[in-house]
Amino acid sequence: NSTGVVLSGVLTIDGTLTLGNGHLSLGDNNLIIAASGDIDNAGASGYIIANGNGELWQLNIGSNGRSGAVLYPLGSSTGSYTPLTLGNSATSNSFGLRVLDEVLSEGTTGTPLTSGVVGRTWALSSGGGQCDVSLVFGWSAAEELQGFDRSQCYVTRHEYGTNWGALQQPGATTGSGTLTRIIGGVTSLSTAPTLLSIGSGSTLFPVELLSLDAVIDDGNVHLFWMTSNEVNNFGFRIQRRSQNETTWQNAGFIPAATSGDILHSYHWIDPEMPTTSVEYRLAQVDLDGSIRHSAVLGVAIPVEAGIRLGEVHPQPLLQGQSAGISLSARADTPLRLTLYDALGRRIQQVFDGMMQAGTSRVLVLPTAALHPGSYFLRLESNGTSQIRKFSILR
């Protein structure tokens, strides 16, 4: 029937569905191939069209049921054949599939992508059984959008609440006519449809941020983050705002790592010494200028971090020369400033007293009688300490 057949309700087939010159359109109805059923003679001239909310379900796929490769001969419309072949190495499960005729930036919402991808989304659902799935995605050149790179493409999955994330490293397609990309070892499928697509280059291959942490040390905020899957990454723009602000400020930039390692670690120190609680986020920048933001990381600045020990000035010192150093406090706090030599021997206590909130003080250091060499100043306050090193020359 070259004009095709349209389902008017849910249909279960426990024998063989033979496709020929024509298409079977699902609309909003499910087509179910039972454990004893199969599909025969499918191809570009005869396949199942997922043109609504209906899914093609095939039951009991696995080592204890329908073992080997099982074909889902689907397309989103006439003239667009995008089959999926599925094999399940686990015991048994059932899988449902439909194909969408676009790829949206947010998975089920957002704007349609117009370049760098195969313009189809495979929505794959799993039953209540086990998954250890291999997938072979098929499409023709007509489904490839502008700029799609067959030599550097990959299967990518949309993670609900986050972004699209690549499931494999970029590689070349196989086949001709119907082009294919293969992935194995997929175990995290759910009853809610998992959205899968084919990206290339950096499209749908965002840098995967594995961790983002902050440590306060000596009054400074240190950010540490780890990534994987870096493709066409230009670098990271660090953005900062106080918790009572709405506008993000660019605070620094770290270029992308240049090694070929899969995992990369980064470290950035805030050049400012925040005195109030702050929020940070990363703006990851691709080579093409596109930007993706990380989750927001809040950092609570303790009272002690409002204590600041400045640098010795001038530096380096000449023997017999006087020097000064500044102290400041955000809250009322006791301070003790002690001078040590290079071996850690105490020379003199420079200051021991209370600093009032919001005050600063410049102290003259007892350096005139010191011999050339290296020295340390240690500022102690409420169990924390800060250290400054300085040198005296002949």
Side-chain angles (χ1 to χ4, degrees):
N1 186 349
S2 60
T3 60
V5 174
V6 179
L7 286 191
S8 59
V10 176
L11 177 63
T12 299
I13 295 177
D14 56 14
T16 299
L17 169 63
T18 302
L19 298 170
N21 183 24
H23 305 299
L24 177 60
S25 297
L26 301 182
D28 292 330
N29 302 298
N30 287 349
L31 174 63
I32 302 170
I33 307 299
S36 59
D38 62 4
I39 301 174
D40 186 31
N41 201 39
S45 61
Y47 56 88
I48 298 165
I49 295 178
N51 58 342
N53 294 317
E55 297 175 300
L56 171 60
W57 277 89
Q58 303 205 57
L59 309 184
N60 195 28
I61 301 175
S63 59
N64 285 352
R66 301 172 64 188
S67 60
V70 176
L71 176 65
Y72 284 72
L74 282 175
S76 60
S77 61
T78 302
S80 178
Y81 182 48
T82 51
L84 177 73
T85 303
L86 182 151
N88 185 26
S89 299
T91 304
S92 179
N93 205 343
S94 300
F95 301 91
L97 180 70
R98 66 190 183 104
V99 179
L100 312 179
D101 61 359
E102 60 186 355
V103 180
L104 298 177
S105 60
E106 305 301 324
T108 56
T109 60
T111 58
L113 274 67
T114 58
S115 64
V117 300
V118 174
R120 297 295 182 267
T121 300
W122 288 262
L124 181 62
S125 302
S126 169
Q130 297 177 331
C131 292
D132 188 356
V133 171
S134 60
L135 302 170
V136 182
F137 294 83
W139 69 91
S140 68
E143 280 80 44
E144 296 175 350
L145 303 186
Q146 180 181 6
F148 180 77
D149 185 354
R150 293 181 189 172
S151 68
Q152 291 289 307
C153 67
Y154 41 83
V155 178
T156 181
R157 174 176 62 196
H158 186 266
E159 305 289 352
Y160 291 98
T162 55
N163 295 310
W164 288 93
L167 297 181
Q168 59 187 172
Q169 290 296 312
T173 61
T174 56
S176 60
T178 298
L179 302 160
T180 59
R181 191 71 170 96
I182 304 170
I183 188 171
V186 179
T187 58
S188 56
L189 296 174
S190 65
T191 54
T194 298
L195 304 181
L196 301 159
S197 191
I198 307 295
S200 70
S202 61
T203 307
L204 299 189
F205 198 119
V207 171
E208 184 177 355
L209 182 65
L210 300 178
S211 64
L212 173 60
D213 301 293
V215 173
I216 300 174
D217 181 38
D218 200 15
N220 293 105
V221 177
H222 298 245
L223 293 187
F224 299 89
W225 65 97
M226 181 175 289
T227 68
S228 67
N229 289 341
E230 291 201 13
V231 175
N232 294 333
N233 181 28
F234 179 67
F236 300 89
R237 188 175 297 136
I238 299 94
Q239 298 182 324
R240 176 188 58 218
R241 69 181 181 188
S242 298
Q243 289 186 336
N244 59 351
E245 296 179 337
T246 58
T247 302
W248 290 96
Q249 303 294 328
N250 293 327
F253 181 82
I254 297 292
T258 57
S259 73
D261 297 337
I262 295 177
L263 300 179
H264 298 286
S265 298
Y266 295 90
H267 176 211
W268 177 81
I269 304 174
D270 194 335
E272 296 186 4
M273 186 172 289
T275 57
T276 61
S277 294
V278 292
E279 294 179 330
Y280 296 92
R281 71 178 183 182
L282 301 177
Q284 184 267 313
V285 185
D286 281 342
L287 291 177
D288 63 4
S290 58
I291 296 174
R292 299 175 182 87
H293 292 102
S294 72
V296 175
L297 177 66
V299 179
I301 305 299
V303 171
E304 303 88 78
I307 305 302
R308 181 174 178 83
L309 177 63
E311 299 291 339
V312 175
H313 181 80
Q315 182 57 208
L317 293 169
L318 298 177
Q319 188 175 11
Q321 188 177 13
S322 297
I325 194 167
S326 64
L327 306 179
S328 60
R330 187 171 65 89
D332 293 350
T333 187
L335 294 181
R336 181 183 295 111
L337 182 65
T338 309
L339 175 64
Y340 296 88
D341 66 13
L343 298 178
R345 295 174 296 196
R346 182 179 180 275
I347 296 176
Q348 184 175 338
Q349 191 153 295
V350 181
F351 179 83
D352 187 2
M354 289 292 298
M355 286 282 290
Q356 301 299 313
T359 62
S360 298
R361 178 178 296 182
V362 176
L363 301 177
V364 177
L365 298 177
T367 56
L370 296 179
H371 298 292
S374 296
Y375 296 87
F376 296 88
L377 289 162
R378 183 179 183 184
L379 179 66
E380 298 173 273
S381 172
N382 294 328
T384 65
S385 64
Q386 298 180 27
I387 294 176
R388 293 291 181 266
K389 178 181 177 181
F390 66 98
S391 299
I392 297 178
L393 304 179
R394 290 187 187 278

